[in-house]
Amino acid sequence: MKNKENILIKRFKDYGFKVGFLPCGKKNSIADVLGVRVGHFNKISGRDIRTGITIIDPGIKNLFRKKIPAAIYVGNGFGKLTGITQVEELGTLETPIALTNTLAVGPVMRGVVDWVIKNSPDIKPIETINTVVGETNDGWLNNIHKNSIGADDVFKAFKNLSTNTGAGCVGAGVGTRVFSWKGGIGSSSRLIKIGNKKYTLGALVQTNFGGALNILGLPIGKILGETDFDNFIKTGDGSCVVVLATDAPFSARQLKRIAKRAVLGLAKTGSVMAHGSGDYIIAFSTNRNGIEGEGDLSKCLLDADLTQFFLGAVEAVEESVYDALFAAKTTTGRGGNTLKSIPKDQVIEIIKNKNG
């Protein structure tokens, strides 16, 4: 079932706040990159299962054969990300990206493999499939030790692929925490003009990390008395997976440079990438000119053009985190643990008073 509820969710941009300098796309999401779609599967069962799967599909027909340029940057490596070494070695992405909880990486990886095999009729029996599956630990609300996610659930997420990316408590964000509040999935985009050509850069985040929340430069967490640094409590650890997509012609090397800047967007929101935080940025381009030996590298943008994309990555990631916070709802799960939604009215009043 598609997440019709999330179409009506009020996102951060809907409150009239603008993040940064660059304009956003029409949807203000990763789906502003032509062809990109997102699918969620929510797994909510009993009192202790609050988790799910999120699929990011670049929209390339027969992606396994028509690989696209990609790169991965590791901010802090306390996590489990499949496929990372092959992407690092070859600079390509050959399957849609999946996000889930820490101990569901195995079955989700198997599910993506099954989906690729089913949708790649020319695949040979000896060929391997490099899947990229990211995760965060949603164990505060979700019983991660239960075998609650299966490979067949991945097909349900694929069935829900849409240009409506959803936000908040959807898919891999059903059970996550960010700062002192309920987190989830967030997304944003930026439009970039180089010469006479326009390009799009979009971000999607799976937020599950701690710190001291800043919004638009204001120390919201400190003002509200909700930070992880008062006594350096353990819940300050956590993770964040960021997916960046663009239609601009870039090589894997250039995409990695863009991916590095995403951590600046996280830092602007108050993250320090704590000891126990797995912070990964996966970047890809739907433009195949950036593939060595197959594309036309002469058509790639110059390194001197990257600065606008650096800015776009920082802004889109920053706003995506706010998006996840503002869209998430109070959720109760394992052991009666509850994560409250951010007190939006208070936060909005603080921002408006400061800016007004």
Side-chain angles (χ1 to χ4, degrees):
M1 183 178 72
K2 292 184 183 297
N3 250 300
K4 295 180 180 179
E5 178 186 357
N6 282 280
I7 298 175
L8 304 176
I9 283 179
K10 199 170 183 181
R11 300 172 59 198
F12 184 72
K13 71 179 181 65
D14 297 325
Y15 292 90
F17 300 128
K18 177 174 172 51
V19 177
F21 299 92
L22 295 172
C24 63
K26 185 176 181 180
K27 298 181 180 66
N28 194 24
S29 79
I30 196 169
D32 282 314
V33 178
L34 186 63
V36 174
R37 296 183 299 163
V38 176
H40 302 289
F41 169 70
N42 300 347
K43 184 71 173 185
I44 301 172
S45 178
R47 297 181 178 181
D48 65 345
I49 300 301
R50 304 288 186 271
T51 193
I53 302 167
T54 294
I55 300 290
I56 301 94
D57 182 9
I60 305 296
K61 188 175 181 180
N62 198 6
L63 178 60
F64 182 71
R65 294 289 177 221
K66 296 183 178 179
K67 299 171 177 52
I68 55 177
I72 296 173
Y73 178 71
V74 181
N76 190 61
F78 202 134
K80 294 83 184 160
L81 179 69
T82 70
I84 185 171
T85 56
Q86 185 166 317
V87 174
E88 184 73 14
E89 186 74 16
L90 303 181
T92 58
L93 181 72
E94 61 186 41
T95 74
I97 297 163
L99 307 176
T100 189
N101 79 67
T102 304
L103 297 185
V105 168
V108 171
M109 177 181 172
R110 181 68 243 184
V112 174
V113 167
D114 291 344
W115 186 90
V116 172
I117 291 171
K118 182 177 180 180
N119 290 277
S120 305
D122 61 341
I123 196 166
K124 298 177 178 62
I126 198 171
E127 289 185 290
T128 63
I129 300 164
N130 190 57
T131 59
V132 177
V133 181
E135 55 77 25
T136 67
N137 186 342
D138 56 14
W140 181 249
L141 294 180
N142 176 53
N143 186 345
I144 62 172
H145 292 168
K146 268 191 178 179
N147 189 21
S148 59
I149 293 285
D152 57 328
D153 293 326
V154 176
F155 279 75
K156 297 172 186 175
F158 272 106
K159 188 176 181 180
N160 289 335
L161 283 173
S162 169
T163 56
N164 167 39
T165 57
C169 307
V170 293
V174 165
T176 62
R177 169 190 186 270
V178 62
F179 299 109
S180 299
W181 298 281
K182 182 67 185 74
I185 298 294
S187 193
S188 185
S189 67
R190 291 298 181 269
L191 303 179
I192 297 164
K193 188 175 181 180
I194 303 293
N196 295 323
K197 293 188 177 181
K198 293 181 180 180
Y199 302 100
T200 303
L201 184 145
L204 181 142
V205 299
Q206 179 193 16
T207 59
N208 193 52
F209 58 92
L213 174 63
N214 291 299
I215 295 181
L216 300 176
L218 297 175
I220 299 299
K222 190 172 184 179
I223 292 170
L224 296 178
E226 294 283 356
T227 81
D228 294 321
F229 300 144
D230 297 329
N231 298 299
F232 284 88
I233 60 175
K234 186 171 177 54
T235 50
D237 291 358
S239 299
C240 188
V241 182
V242 177
V243 179
L244 297 176
T246 185
D247 53 8
F250 284 125
S251 67
R253 177 188 63 81
Q254 292 173 313
L255 287 169
K256 189 162 189 175
R257 296 190 68 196
I258 296 171
K260 290 179 181 179
R261 273 61 183 188
V263 299
L264 298 178
L266 294 179
K268 290 187 74 173
T269 70
S271 169
V272 296
M273 294 190 295
H275 159 71
S277 186
D279 302 282
Y280 299 89
I281 298 89
I282 307 158
F284 66 84
S285 171
T286 57
N287 190 317
R288 299 187 73 249
N289 279 315
I291 298 181
E292 295 180 60
E294 291 186 47
D296 185 350
L297 293 176
S298 68
K299 293 183 179 180
C300 286
L301 296 178
L302 301 175
D303 279 7
D305 295 323
L306 281 169
T307 300
Q308 288 193 58
F309 289 87
F310 293 165
L311 177 61
V314 173
E315 292 184 359
V317 170
E318 179 186 2
E319 184 168 353
S320 293
V321 173
Y322 304 154
D323 199 46
L325 271 165
F326 271 64
K329 295 181 178 181
T330 297
T331 305
T332 299
R334 182 187 61 79
N337 292 334
T338 297
L339 288 175
K340 293 183 178 181
S341 62
I342 191 170
K344 290 188 281 291
D345 292 342
Q346 283 182 266
V347 173
I348 291 167
E349 184 177 1
I350 292 169
I351 297 173
K352 286 184 175 178
N353 287 342
K354 183 68 176 180
N355 295 335

